[in-house]
């Protein structure tokens, strides 16, 4: 039989067998059958040597062509089998993406700590630094040095907890302002500090009062500090804390250690519509402030013609209540996990 | 301080609404706490004349009244009151009327007769307590008009928050003065010109001041033929609105004038003043007086009293005495309008725990120049309302007349402090409108004279504030100062923030507790370990006896927090607190920062992916060691301790070098029972200042280039031998030892009695070469030998 014809027949036969092969094993057997050392192609190739010189190259080329074709065909089929068995394996590794993840346990900084850090960071960005002072204070630092000598009527603005301390007039500081005195007695201007810390009042806890809460005090003293600087600083703070769209309002007020003094309001989240939080006024009182009273400078030995300054103080719990919508101040010291986990 | 809008309007012309006025006042420093419309509770009540009264056909108890309500029409009402007669003008609640308290009135049938409405009493209108009969209005009252306009209910009530430095605003006139300055209007003072009799008061009353330091001025007026009776409605109404209880016309007038002027007045029944003599003196120690509140007060030498020739008749500036009280039989009244020193009144009021409208004002300082005007104003009103005959002259003890204060004021300085150029003209205008005198001196300054009613204006800066207030705080620009010297957070502040981050990252929740402590817990605490030699810092005036000391430890606050959470079914608690503790040690008072940690439950509840594992000692120890490791500490050690609030066999103290950092352990089972815990509670308290000071900075070590060799060893040792001791020996014995892990500790079955098995995995590694099996074997041999000779440890398998 003509070798070319045999090759064509072989090709046909192989195609039929390979394309219907059902497994890798079958394909491997077919490879041996056609291409193996005793395979059908090999057999044909062996016969080429007997052919005439003219026919040799023609049949040889044809045989090689068929062999290559077969090899490619088998490889291709094998690959297809492999791929599908890999896919089977992957399929078996399916996960249920709706099952809850294993979330690593995470605690929380207390909302008050978070709020203090937030406020302090705003002032750090302006160039302020952080000063701290004792919670047990002397009557002198808490009142007298802040322009409230004994029997000053303004002392009644703070209900004070006094300590049993024979020979010393000790109390729990009613505000962070005594730290102003401590810092100024130690250092000369320029002073640009914020003072976070716990303060104490002889108040029974209710939804808006606590006997222990947190304040942040600010103090800026240098040559040429103005009331306009106070306004600009507190506007910057309020807008960073509560939003760039917030308006800030200053109302005259009274504190013994500042003159002029101001209460500072920020526009309410209700955008002036009036709501329960702002009691319909459209404004939220957030802090007290003023220019440092010259008597305070006298007390710490600063020249009050040369230096001017401003001070401000805010209740951290109040700021947090306003910013995060907390309805009852007692929640901060209640430490209910369901509260703490929210922030 | 509560004041009616109509009252303010008497003294200054106000063309803006009450709301606008409130806003303007608040923005200029007179804080308006609340503003309310009084007539809001009343609707459809009109004045009407009783045209005819006839009997009710079906009952003797009631009458039929034919009413003429002018433009509102004519109607018939059924009424049971007996104080009315034909021709009276009365308030008539017509159909759809509403009275205070939400009471609705309508047309209805009463015992078979239609009643178109109801006649009302003063109490029903809410203007007085009088419910004895229908309110009879003056006979010239127009009919058919809204009752609110007639009885003063068509009015607003301002509630002001007056700052302690503004005693002048504790009177209507003071606030009216602020309004006048604000609106550019003139202040009109109420009339006080008195018609006097021929008789000189000074010839009847004798006034002697023995303590002029405490009483620098005493003015008095004598009134005769006084008819004591209830005050007219309008006066009662204003007092009630201000929060004062009407009593009789004499007492009411003294209160009324105090509300107007801020000057407290007192009225004595002159017939009760023995010897017709007023003596202002310090009380004798132990002297007693029954005050108008009916209580007896024992006085001392620091208390100033008003006395007659033999006994006190008033606690000066605080409260009058019962013995000289004005009553319905009084005919002669001595009106006192005095000035007392604020400090004296403050002390007395505090010592007697007694305060009054008068003492409140005297404590804050009243104008010494205002006494005579107030006495005259009261006499003027009593001449009208009590038909009083006013004796001639004011008895006025005033030895040292007031020297008006003068302040040098530099407009340039004001502009500099405020950060805005404001004209000197504007500043002068502000001062003038506030009743200050202004005298220009030269280009750079003016001299401002301060009247006695503004004791708060002492210095140039006080005047700068007045300029700022009336210029408007919100008209001043906003600038930022140039800040120099910034130094950010200090290293401790940075470190503390990081410490909190580490704890939070490890799954602990930060809590905050009050700094108070219940001293009854101290027997469980003081005297041991970190608390030896510790004494409590106590509060002199605590809110609660259970909060009468300052906490010397954070742990009880943490225990309470856990308890509270468990009671609310919040389980699996891992909490920490950083806060101050307070104590005395060797007589020295300390205030130090501590870190408290408490664990109760487990790290997590059981779920589809994780099992529940209850906290044990090693979870707590792990948290402590996390902190120590994060601070690069290496050589920490534990010692047995005996804190009575901890489990006796589950507690330790932790040290770095010789420095005690704190303790850790399980809450004593006794206390667990006391606190009603069904779960185990693990707690620790550490001195974070000590950790901060012991912390180390990491220093780079070459990363080893040669592979480690692992070797597992398992030993059988006596149960009582601490694993830590074995570890220490291993670490001290073997060279090239990178680390050791305790990978198994086992007690129980298959082991000899009293023994435990401990398995270690040793990692050997050299920085300079790959270790040969031979070298590792040699080290392992050293370890086995050392453990065997030191602890009798038997190698189980290698
Ligand atoms: Zn609002």
């Amino acid at each position: 039989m003509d070798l070319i014809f045999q090759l064509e027949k072989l090709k046909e036969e192989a195609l039929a067998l390979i394309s219907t092969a059902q497994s890798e094993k079958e394909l491997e057997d077919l490879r041996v059958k056609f291409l193996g050392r005793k395979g059908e192609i090999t057999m044909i190739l062996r016969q080429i040597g007997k052919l005439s010189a003219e026919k040799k190259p023609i049949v040889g080329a044809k045989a090689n062509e068929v062999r290559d074709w077969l090899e490619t065909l088998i490889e291709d089929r094998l690959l297809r089998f492999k791929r599908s068995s890999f896919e089977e394996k992957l399929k078996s590794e399916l996960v249920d993406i709706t099952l809850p993840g294993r979330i690593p346990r995470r605690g929380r900084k207390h909302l008050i700590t978070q709020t203090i850090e937030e406020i302090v960071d705003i002032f750090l960005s302006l160039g302020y630094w952080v000063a701290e002072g004792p919670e047990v204070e002397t009557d002198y630092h808490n009142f007298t040095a802040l322009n409230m000598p004994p029997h000053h009527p303004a002392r009644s603005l703070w209900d004070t907890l006094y300590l049993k301390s024979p020979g010393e007039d000790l109390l729990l500081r009613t505000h962070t302002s005594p730290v102003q005195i401590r810092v100024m007695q130690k250092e000369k201007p320029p002073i640009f500090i914020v003072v976070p810390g716990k303060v104490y009042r002889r108040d029974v806890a209710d939804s808006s009062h606590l006997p222990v809460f947190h304040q942040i005090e600010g103090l800026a003293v240098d040559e040429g500090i103005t009331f306009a600087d106070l306004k600009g600083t507190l506007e910057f703070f309020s807008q960073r804390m509560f939003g760039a769209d917030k308006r800030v309002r200053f109302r005259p007020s009274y504190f013994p250690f500042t003159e002029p003094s101001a209460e500072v309001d920020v526009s309410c989240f209700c955008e002036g519509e009036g709501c329960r939080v702002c009691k319909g006024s459209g404004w939220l009182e957030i802090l007290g402030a003023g220019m440092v009273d010259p008597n305070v400078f006298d007390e710490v030995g600063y020249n009050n013609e040369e230096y001017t300054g401003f001070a401000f103080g805010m209740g951290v719990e109040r700021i947090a209540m306003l910013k995060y919508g907390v309805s009852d101040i007692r929640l901060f010291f209640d430490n209910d996990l369901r509260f703490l986990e929210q922030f | 301080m509560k004041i009616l809008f109509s009252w303010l309007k008497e003294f200054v012309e106000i063309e803006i609404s009450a709301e606008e006025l409130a806003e303007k006042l608040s923005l200029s420093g007179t804080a308006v706490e609340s503003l309310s419309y009084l007539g809001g509770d009343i609707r459809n009540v009109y004045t009407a004349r009783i045209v005819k009264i006839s009997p009710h056909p079906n009952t003797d108890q009631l009458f039929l009244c034919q009413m003429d309500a002018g433009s509102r029409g004519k109607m018939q009402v059924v009424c049971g009151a007996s104080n009315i007669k034909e021709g009276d003008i009365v308030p008539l609640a017509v159909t759809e009327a509403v009275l205070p308290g939400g009471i609705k009135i309508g047309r209805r049938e009463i015992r078979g007769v239609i009643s178109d409405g109801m006649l009302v009493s003063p109490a029903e209108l809410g203007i007085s307590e009088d419910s004895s009969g229908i309110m009879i209005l003056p006979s010239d009252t127009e009919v058919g008009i809204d009752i609110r306009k007639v009885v003063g209910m068509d009015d607003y009530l301002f509630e002001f928050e007056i700052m302690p430095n503004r005693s002048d605003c504790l009177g209507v006139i003071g606030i009216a003065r602020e309004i006048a300055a604000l609106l550019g209007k003139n202040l009109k003072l109420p009339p006080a010109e008195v018609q006097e009799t021929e008789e000189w008061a000074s010839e009847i009353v004798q006034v002697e001041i023995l303590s002029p330091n405490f009483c620098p001025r005493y003015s008095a007026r004598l009134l005769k033929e006084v008819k004591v009776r209830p005050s007219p409605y309008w006066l009662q109404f204003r007092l009630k609105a201000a929060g004062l209880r009407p009593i009789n016309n004499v007492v009411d007038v003294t209160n009324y004038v105090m509300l107007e002027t801020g000057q407290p007045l007192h009225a004595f029944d002159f017939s009760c003043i023995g010897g017709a003599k007023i003596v202002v003196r310090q009380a004798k120690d132990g002297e007693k007086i029954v005050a108008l509140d009916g209580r007896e007060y024992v006085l001392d030498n620091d208390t100033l009293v008003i006395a007659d020739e033999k006994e006190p008749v008033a606690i000066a500036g605080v409260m009058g005495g019962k013995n000289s009280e004005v009553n319905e039989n009084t005919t002669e009244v001595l009106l006192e309008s005095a000035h007392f020193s604020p400090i004296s009144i403050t002390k007395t009021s505090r010592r007697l725990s007694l305060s009054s409208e008068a003492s409140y004002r005297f404590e804050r300082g009243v104008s010494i120049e205002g006494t005579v005007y107030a006495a005259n104003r009261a006499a003027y009103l009593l001449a009208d309302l009590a038909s009083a005959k006013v004796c001639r002259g004011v008895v006025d003890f005033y030895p040292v007349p007031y020297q008006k204060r003068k302040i040098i004021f530099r407009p340039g300085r004001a502009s500099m402090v405020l950060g805005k150029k404001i004209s000197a003209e504007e500043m002068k205008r502000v001062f003038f409108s506030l009743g200050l005198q202004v005298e220009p001196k030269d280009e750079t300054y003016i001299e401002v004279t301060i009247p006695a009613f503004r004791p708060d204006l002492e210095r140039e800066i006080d005047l700068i504030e007045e300029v700022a207030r009336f210029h408007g705080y919100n008209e001043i620009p906003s600038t930022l100062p140039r800040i120099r010297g910034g130094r950010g957070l200090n290293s401790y502040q940075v470190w503390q923030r990081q410490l909190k981050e580490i704890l939070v990252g490890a799954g602990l929740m930060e809590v905050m507790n009050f700094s108070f402590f219940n001293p009854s817990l101290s027997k469980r605490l003081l005297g041991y370990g970190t608390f030896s030699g510790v004494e409590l810092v106590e509060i002199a005036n605590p809110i609660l006896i259970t909060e009468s000391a300052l906490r010397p430890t954070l742990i009880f606050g943490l225990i309470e927090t856990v308890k509270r959470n468990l009671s609310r079914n919040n389980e699996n608690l891992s909490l920490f607190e950083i806060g101050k503790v307070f104590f005395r040690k060797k007589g020295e008072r300390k205030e130090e920062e501590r870190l408290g940690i408490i664990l109760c439950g487990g790290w997590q509840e059981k779920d589809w992916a994780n099992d529940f594992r209850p906290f044990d000692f090693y979870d707590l120890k792990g948290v402590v060691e996390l902190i120590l490791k994060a601070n690069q500490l290496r050589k920490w050690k534990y010692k047995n301790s005996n804190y009575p609030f901890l489990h006796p066999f589950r507690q330790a103290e932790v040290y770095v070098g010789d420095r005690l950092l704190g303790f850790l352990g399980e809450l004593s089972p006794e206390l667990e029972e006391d606190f009603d815990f069904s779960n185990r509670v693990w707690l620790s308290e550490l001195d974070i200042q000590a950790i901060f000071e012991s912390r180390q900075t990491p220093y780079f070590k070459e990363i080893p280039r040669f592979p480690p060799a692992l070797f597992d060893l398992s030993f059988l040792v006596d149960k009582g031998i601490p694993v830590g001791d074995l570890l220490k020996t291993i670490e001290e014995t073997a060279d090239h030892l990178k680390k050791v892990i305790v990978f198994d500790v086992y007690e129980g079955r298959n082991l000899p009695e009293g023994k435990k098995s401990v398995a270690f995995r040793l990692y050997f590694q050299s920085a300079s070469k790959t270790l040969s099996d031979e070298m590792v074997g040699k080290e392992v041999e050293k370890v086995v030998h050392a453990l065997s000779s030191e602890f009798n440890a038997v190698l189980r398998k290698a």
Side-chain angles (χ1 to χ4, degrees), chain A residues 268-284:
Chain A
C268 181
F269 300 94
C270 66
E271 304 301 338
E273 292 278 302
C275 67
R276 205 165 41 83
V277 182
C278 62
K279 297 193 185 92
S281 71
W283 294 97
L284 302 169

Side-chain angles (χ1 to χ4, degrees), chain A residues 102-171:
Chain A
R102 290 191 188 95
I103 306 172
R105 192 176 161 105
R106 175 174 75 98
R108 303 283 194 286
K109 285 187 184 180
H110 194 283
L111 181 58
I112 290 303
T113 301
Q114 293 182 37
T115 308
I116 288 175
E117 289 183 359
E118 204 175 347
I119 296 169
V120 163
D121 286 348
I122 293 172
F123 286 99
L124 288 176
S125 77
L126 282 172
Y128 286 66
W129 55 99
V130 175
E132 285 160 300
E135 292 172 23
V136 170
E137 262 297 359
T138 64
D139 181 271
Y140 170 80
H141 286 95
N142 196 74
F143 290 124
T144 307
L146 289 163
N147 201 23
M148 280 178 282
H151 305 296
H152 194 282
R155 285 188 172 212
S156 65
L157 294 173
W158 297 272
D159 273 331
T160 309
L161 285 163
Y162 292 93
L163 298 182
K164 287 186 188 166
S165 51
E168 285 175 295
D169 261 343
L170 293 181
L171 46 78

Side-chain angles (χ1 to χ4, degrees), chain B residues 204 313 357 364 377 386 444 450 473 484 508 537 635 687 745:
Chain B
I204 306 169
V313 291
E357 292 281 337
R364 280 158 181 75
R377 171 72 178 149
T444 58
I450 311 299
Y473 279 11
R484 44 193 190 116
L508 284 92
V537 176
K635 297 212 167 90
D687 177 350
V745 177

Side-chain angles (χ1 to χ4, degrees), chain B residues 316-334:
Chain B
V318 182
M319 197 171 275
K322 202 88 189 159
N323 53 8
S324 54
E325 183 181 11
V326 171
N327 57 53
E328 58 269 36
N329 302 318
T330 303
T331 56
E332 295 188 347
V333 169
L334 183 76

Side-chain angles (χ1 to χ4, degrees), chain B residues 350-386:
Chain B
R350 198 160 301 163
R351 206 186 69 73
L352 301 178
S353 298
L354 175 64
S355 59
S356 62
E357 292 281 337
S359 69
Y360 185 81
R361 286 173 172 77
F362 282 125
E363 280 176 27
R364 280 158 181 75
V366 176
S367 164
I368 197 169
E369 292 279 270
T371 58
V372 171
Y373 173 75
N376 286 342
R377 171 72 178 149
Y380 172 90
L381 287 169
L382 286 174
D384 180 20
L385 303 176

Side-chain angles (χ1 to χ4, degrees), chain B residues 226-230 247-250 269 325-331:
Chain B
V226 178
K227 308 264 184 307
V228 178
R229 56 190 176 217
I247 295 170
N248 57 47
N249 53 358
V250 175
D269 182 331
E325 183 181 11
V326 171
N327 57 53
E328 58 269 36
N329 302 318
T330 303
T331 56

